[in-house]
């Protein structure tokens, strides 16, 4: 249920006041104001569903910047025994970057989609959002998303491109040819991360010369992309990739058996339209794999060497939402509250990974995905518990003073709901829910034992691995794979 009125996050009081024509007695005024309050409360709750979490995040960041209370110090790793924030600032020990004399973080960059529209039922806003860009609409739809009501009325001219499976170089090249021939004013992506990544790739390549092989990393020439793109409106139908707020697209090269990326700030969608109702039809297996991908994309940025005070707030809230919603969404796909939790987790994971870094799970997911053709979410789900275990054990053994260990304790507390939980409890929670939600291992996804060393070598060169809280050696990466078979 939602209202159709536009409500700004900055508060409903800016709305035009209705006139009062009845006698201005005290009782009439009281009733009038009471009615206004009820209407505004209903509108505010549904039209700004995400604002509660965003406002909480914002207030925590501001609190941190204006005094570093215990909540903030804990998340900054400054609440532990030893030096306080000022002492750490003087000693240059903050892992976040430049800090001032009081320990306040002074250096980080945050980028995201031009606009985020969130809430159950907000997909109905799509025609109005599209109309602001022009009349020629290209729709990139994955799975059954092409049948969603409302797509057939977008623009006065439209073309539909269907996607399936992980985006590949041939698939993107074919969609790019359609776009260059049709000349859309806007591209609407409806589907999982694969459909959205295809649309983002087509959008930016349409405004650049050459083809995908001129610009893709690793397997192509890697020519930097010009910062121009056809506007993309991204509408996810799964809660996983967070591609609606990221600035890259991982693409499979069947010829080389690897995944490589197109990457540019201009690939951030113009609008991220996130409606949890679109995820209600996701089957349990997709709910699990995409959900674990979303959870991974909150955990890895939270313990990353590139984490910052802003991404911490999104990542922590995303972890908490997944702890509450993932099992419930898998058990009962019609549970809208659980689906909303997971949509927030996915969105916040995308915001976090785009502005911090990832880690071992994603470092391994790219080469293993290229080798096996397995879905990205399934691969991440298979490795999350094993990678977390190896990271914790390796830091404990080789770097017991690593501040990420305290962060792993905090992850465990968010997952279990226990204030006394430690990192090992978080690992156990992850192992148990992976088993309960029937996540297949890497062997079931097609990885052969003969490929383990090759996958480990490729992962150690992956850009995602640079965010891992500790540099893993070959044997430790192999251990993650073996634990995940």
């Amino acid at each position: 249920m939602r209202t159709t009125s536009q409500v700004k996050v900055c508060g409903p009081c800016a709305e035009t006041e209705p006139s009062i024509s009845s006698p201005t007695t005290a009782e009439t005024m009281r009733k009038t104001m009471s009615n206004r309050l009820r209407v505004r409360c209903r509108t505010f709750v549904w039209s700004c569903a995400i604002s509660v979490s965003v406002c909480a995040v914002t207030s925590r960041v501001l609190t941190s910047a204006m005094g570093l209370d215990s909540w903030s110090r804990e998340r900054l790793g400054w609440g532990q025994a030893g030096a306080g924030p000022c002492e750490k600032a003087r000693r240059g020990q903050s892992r976040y970057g430049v800090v001032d004399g009081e320990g306040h973080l002074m250096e980080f960059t945050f980028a995201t989609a031009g606009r985020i529209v969130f809430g159950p039922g907000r997909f109905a806003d799509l025609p109005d959002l599209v109309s602001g860009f022009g009349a020629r609409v290209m729709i990139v739809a994955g799975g059954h998303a092409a049948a969603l009501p409302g797509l057939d009325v977008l623009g006065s001219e439209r073309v539909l491109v269907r996607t399936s499976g992980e985006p590949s170089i041939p698939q993107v090249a074919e969609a790019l040819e359609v776009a260059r021939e049709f000349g859309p004013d806007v591209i609407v992506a409806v589907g999982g991360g694969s459909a959205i990544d295809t649309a983002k790739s087509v959008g930016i390549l349409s405004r650049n010369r050459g083809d995908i092989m001129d610009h893709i990393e690793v397997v192509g020439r890697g020519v930097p992309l010009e910062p121009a793109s056809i506007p993309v409106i991204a509408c996810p139908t799964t809660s996983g990739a967070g591609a609606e707020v990221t600035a890259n697209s991982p693409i499979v090269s069947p010829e080389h058996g690897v995944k490589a990326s197109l990457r540019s700030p201009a690939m951030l969608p113009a609008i991220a339209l996130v409606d949890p109702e679109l995820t209600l039809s996701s089957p349990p297996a997709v709910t699990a794999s995409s959900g674990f991908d979303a959870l991974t994309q909150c955990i890895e940025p939270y313990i990353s060497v590139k984490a910052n005070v802003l991404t911490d707030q999104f990542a922590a809230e995303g972890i908490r939402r997944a702890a509450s919603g993932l099992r419930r969404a898998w058990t009962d796909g019609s549970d809208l509250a659980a689906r909303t939790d997971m949509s927030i987790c996915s969105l916040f994971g995308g915001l976090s990974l785009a502005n911090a870094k990832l880690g071992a799970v994603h470092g391994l997911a790219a080469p293993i995905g290229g080798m096996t053709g397995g879905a990205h979410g399934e691969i991440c789900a298979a490795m999350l518990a094993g990678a977390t275990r190896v990271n914790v054990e390796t830091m404990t053994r080789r770097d017991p003073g690593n501040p990420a260990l305290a962060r792993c304790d905090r992850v465990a507390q968010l997952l279990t709901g226990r204030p006394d939980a430690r990192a090992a409890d978080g690992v156990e929670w992850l192992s148990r829910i992976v088993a309960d939600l029937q996540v297949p291992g890497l062997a079931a996804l097609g990885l052969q034992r003969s490929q383990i060393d090759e996958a480990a070598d490729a992962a150690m060169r992956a850009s995602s691995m640079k965010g891992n809280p500790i540099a893993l050696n070959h044997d430790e990466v192999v251990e993650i794979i073996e634990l995940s078979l």
Side-chain angles (χ1 to χ4, degrees):
M1 178 180 178
R2 58 177 295 275
T3 63
T4 57
S5 55
Q6 182 89 16
V7 179
K8 298 181 180 179
V9 174
C10 57
C13 293
E15 296 286 294
T16 302
E17 295 288 345
S19 62
I20 303 174
S21 57
S22 58
T24 57
T25 63
E27 179 63 18
T28 301
M29 289 293 290
R30 185 190 67 78
K31 290 181 178 179
T32 300
M33 295 306 293
S34 178
N35 288 336
R36 288 179 190 169
L37 180 60
R38 282 196 296 270
V39 170
R40 288 183 177 182
C41 284
R42 287 196 298 268
T43 303
F44 186 78
V45 166
W46 286 107
S47 297
C48 304
I50 198 171
S51 65
V52 174
S53 294
V54 173
C55 288
V57 167
T58 304
S59 66
R60 290 168 183 169
V61 174
L62 291 174
T63 301
S64 174
M66 299 175 64
L68 287 172
D69 65 357
S70 59
W71 195 99
S72 302
R73 288 197 299 272
E74 177 184 354
R75 282 151 183 76
L76 286 166
W78 287 339
Q80 313 303 319
C86 296
E87 177 63 18
K88 287 204 172 190
R90 286 194 292 272
R91 288 158 54 185
Q93 291 185 3
S94 171
R95 68 190 184 91
Y96 293 104
V98 177
V99 293
D100 64 13
E102 296 183 353
H104 300 149
L105 179 65
M106 301 297 289
E107 181 180 295
F108 63 85
T109 300
F110 191 89
T112 190
R115 181 181 176 191
I116 297 173
V117 179
F118 185 100
R122 296 305 297 268
F123 188 68
D125 295 348
L126 182 60
D128 288 340
L129 296 173
V130 167
S131 66
F133 294 97
R136 298 175 66 81
V137 182
M138 178 175 180
I139 301 169
V140 178
H144 301 293
L148 284 171
L151 295 181
D152 58 347
V153 299
L154 298 180
S156 59
E157 298 179 74
R158 71 193 69 85
V159 64
L160 171 66
V161 172
R162 297 176 183 267
T163 66
S164 61
E166 297 288 303
S168 66
I169 289 175
Q171 184 181 83
V172 171
E174 182 178 346
L176 176 61
E177 185 177 348
V178 174
R180 284 178 170 168
E181 180 179 345
F182 178 67
D185 298 313
V186 61
I187 300 176
V188 175
V190 187
S194 296
I196 295 172
D197 282 333
T198 299
K200 288 156 55 180
S201 300
V202 170
I204 196 162
L205 289 172
S206 295
R207 293 288 186 263
N208 278 258
R209 295 182 178 180
D211 60 22
I212 185 172
M213 295 306 295
D214 291 315
H215 301 285
I216 195 168
E217 301 170 348
V218 182
V219 299
R221 294 175 58 203
V223 176
L225 289 155
E226 292 295 322
S229 174
I230 298 173
V232 173
I233 300 177
C235 311
T237 59
T238 62
S239 298
E244 65 271 17
V245 288
T246 62
N248 73 300
S249 294
I251 300 167
V252 175
S253 172
E255 178 184 353
H256 302 89
V258 298
K259 270 188 175 182
S261 288
L262 291 172
R263 198 181 308 272
S264 169
M267 294 178 71
L268 285 165
I271 298 176
L273 175 55
V274 185
D275 183 344
E277 290 183 358
L278 297 183
T279 70
L280 290 172
S281 61
S282 292
V286 174
T287 299
S289 61
S290 61
F292 280 114
D293 187 18
L295 177 56
T296 302
Q297 291 175 170
C298 289
I299 292 176
E300 289 195 316
Y302 191 75
I303 64 174
S304 164
V305 297
K306 295 292 186 180
N308 64 64
V309 70
L310 183 53
T311 58
D312 277 358
Q313 320 311 318
F314 288 111
E317 180 66 8
I319 294 167
R320 188 183 72 81
R321 295 281 181 164
S324 167
L326 179 52
R327 187 185 295 272
R328 289 163 44 226
W330 182 84
T331 301
D332 178 7
S334 65
D335 185 338
L336 183 58
R339 294 292 193 182
T340 301
D341 276 344
M342 292 312 301
S343 289
I344 291 175
C345 174
S346 178
L347 174 63
F348 283 11
L351 293 170
S352 300
L353 76 89
N355 293 282
K357 281 282 188 181
L358 290 165
V361 174
H362 280 81
L364 278 160
I368 291 176
M371 292 175 178
T372 65
H376 174 76
E378 289 181 326
I379 294 169
C380 289
M383 291 190 294
L384 178 55
T388 305
R389 182 185 301 277
V390 170
N391 270 331
V392 170
E393 292 177 350
T394 301
M395 286 188 286
T396 302
R397 183 177 65 254
R398 290 204 277 115
D399 188 12
N402 193 318
L405 277 172
R407 290 176 158 264
C408 289
D409 289 341
R410 179 58 184 159
V411 169
Q413 292 156 17
L414 290 165
L415 290 174
T416 64
R418 290 170 33 210
D420 62 339
R422 303 300 297 271
D425 299 311
V427 171
E428 180 59 32
W429 188 95
L430 290 170
S431 298
R432 185 168 59 253
I433 193 171
V434 164
D436 290 349
L437 271 56
Q438 303 171 17
V439 172
L442 294 179
L445 298 176
L447 187 69
Q448 307 296 317
R449 284 196 169 272
S450 60
Q451 296 175 301
I452 290 178
D453 282 334
E454 180 186 354
D457 288 340
M460 293 179 70
R461 298 190 299 270
S463 60
S464 292
M465 194 66 83
K466 296 176 183 177
N468 207 56
I470 188 168
L472 301 175
N473 61 38
H474 179 85
D475 290 343
E476 289 157 351
V477 176
V478 166
E479 184 181 0
I480 293 175
I481 300 174
E482 290 179 337
L483 286 171
S484 307
L485 288 173

